[in-house]
């Protein structure tokens, strides 16, 4: 989300390595907390579970949601550039961080967000062409009361997360495209909520 905010501020297309098919699971924080509680109170000690929602999330789906929320174009660098980046992922990560971190820092400073744990910084290990995906279904199959409250990621849940960050003054509200919630056009957004 922090990278999407930088691309929105710069009015540039956000493009990721590899392809839209690269898996990147997630899980809602409320489901994590519920699972911890169930593990403490109901599950057999020493049993291990993965947590992951049922979205079957990949970079393509996530990019589409972020594009809609932030009003930006999204895409991918393609396999040729991605494979070239693979030769020097440390350098590619450094270049990405040199692009994103100062931009996000400036955005935060301009909106009086002086301290936030949110960062666009990325380690090179997260740039490999590896799926970040687990099967989180076992915890629901074993005899206990756990059920995912938020089994599928959506723009609404991402907005809920962003709104929580905004309320805590960890993220700027300037980045959110109001037309996502209504029929306002981008021009009206920029007229009434200039960043």
């Amino acid at each position: 989300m922090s990278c999407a905010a930088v691309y929105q501020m710069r009015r540039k297309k956000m493009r990721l390595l590899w392809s839209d098919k690269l898996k990147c699971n997630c899980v809602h924080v409320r489901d994590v907390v519920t699972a911890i509680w169930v593990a403490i109170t109901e599950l057999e000690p020493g049993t291990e579970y993965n947590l992951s929602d049922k979205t079957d999330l990949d970079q393509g789906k996530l990019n589409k949601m972020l594009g809609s929320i932030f009003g930006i174009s999204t895409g991918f660098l393609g396999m040729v550039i991605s494979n070239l980046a693979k030769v020097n992922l440390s350098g590619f990560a450094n270049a990405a961080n040199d692009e994103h971190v100062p931009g996000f820092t400036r955005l935060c400073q301009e909106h009086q967000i002086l301290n936030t744990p949110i960062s666009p910084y990325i380690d090179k290990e997260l740039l490999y062409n590896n799926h970040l995906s687990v099967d989180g279904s076992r915890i629901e199959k074993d005899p206990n009361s756990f059920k995912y409250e938020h089994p599928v990621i959506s723009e609404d849940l991402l907005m809920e997360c962003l709104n929580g960050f905004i309320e805590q003054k960890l993220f700027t509200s300037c980045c959110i495209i109001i037309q996502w919630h209504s029929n306002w056009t981008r021009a009206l957004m920029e007229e009434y909520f200039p960043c």
Side-chain angles (χ1 to χ4, degrees):
M1 289 189 267
S2 54
C3 286
V6 171
Y7 283 96
Q8 183 205 47
M9 175 185 71
R10 294 186 174 154
R11 292 176 163 52
K12 290 173 122 183
K13 183 175 186 174
M14 183 173 78
R15 298 186 305 162
L16 304 181
L17 286 176
W18 310 113
S19 77
D20 60 340
K21 303 295 184 225
L22 192 63
K23 301 291 182 199
C24 52
N25 288 154
C26 67
V27 63
H28 198 286
V29 68
R30 287 193 199 118
D31 288 328
V32 173
V33 171
T34 302
I36 292 169
W37 181 255
V38 168
I40 291 169
T41 60
E42 299 178 34
L43 299 176
E44 187 70 30
T47 308
E48 295 179 11
Y49 295 91
N50 292 317
L51 296 177
S52 176
D53 71 15
K54 301 172 186 177
T55 305
D56 193 30
L57 188 66
D58 56 38
Q59 288 191 141
K61 292 174 188 172
L62 183 59
N63 257 10
K64 185 175 180 182
M65 288 186 268
L66 292 174
S68 175
I69 290 169
F70 288 91
I72 60 173
S73 295
T74 62
F76 297 90
L77 293 170
M79 294 310 286
V80 172
I81 293 175
S82 296
N83 280 313
L84 287 172
K86 187 166 106 173
V87 173
N88 183 11
L89 276 180
S90 292
F92 193 87
N94 289 339
N97 290 327
D98 288 347
E99 174 87 9
H100 301 142
V101 173
F104 189 69
T105 301
R106 191 179 104 222
L107 186 63
C108 289
Q109 289 171 341
E110 288 174 359
H111 295 92
Q112 287 75 47
I113 297 170
L114 305 177
N115 191 9
T116 179
I118 299 166
S119 173
Y121 181 85
I122 191 160
D123 291 309
K124 75 173 185 175
E125 290 78 13
L126 295 176
L127 295 176
Y128 286 110
N129 190 17
N130 294 331
H131 296 288
L132 302 174
S133 176
V134 296
D135 180 354
S137 64
R138 179 176 173 211
I139 194 167
E140 289 187 300
K141 294 175 184 169
D142 283 0
N144 65 69
S145 64
F146 182 82
K147 296 289 177 232
Y148 286 98
E149 181 182 342
H150 303 287
V152 178
I153 190 173
S154 66
E155 287 182 31
D156 288 334
L157 289 176
L158 286 176
M159 283 300 301
E160 177 187 300
C161 180
L162 276 173
N163 285 331
F165 293 154
I166 291 166
E167 288 171 13
Q168 296 173 61
K169 301 198 182 316
L170 301 174
F171 204 93
T172 175
S173 61
C174 176
C175 295
I176 311 258
I177 297 297
I178 300 297
Q179 70 186 28
W180 186 82
H181 287 296
S182 68
N183 292 326
W184 285 21
T185 64
R186 187 175 187 88
L188 287 173
M189 167 66 179
E190 290 173 351
E191 179 181 340
Y192 290 106
F193 300 99
C195 291

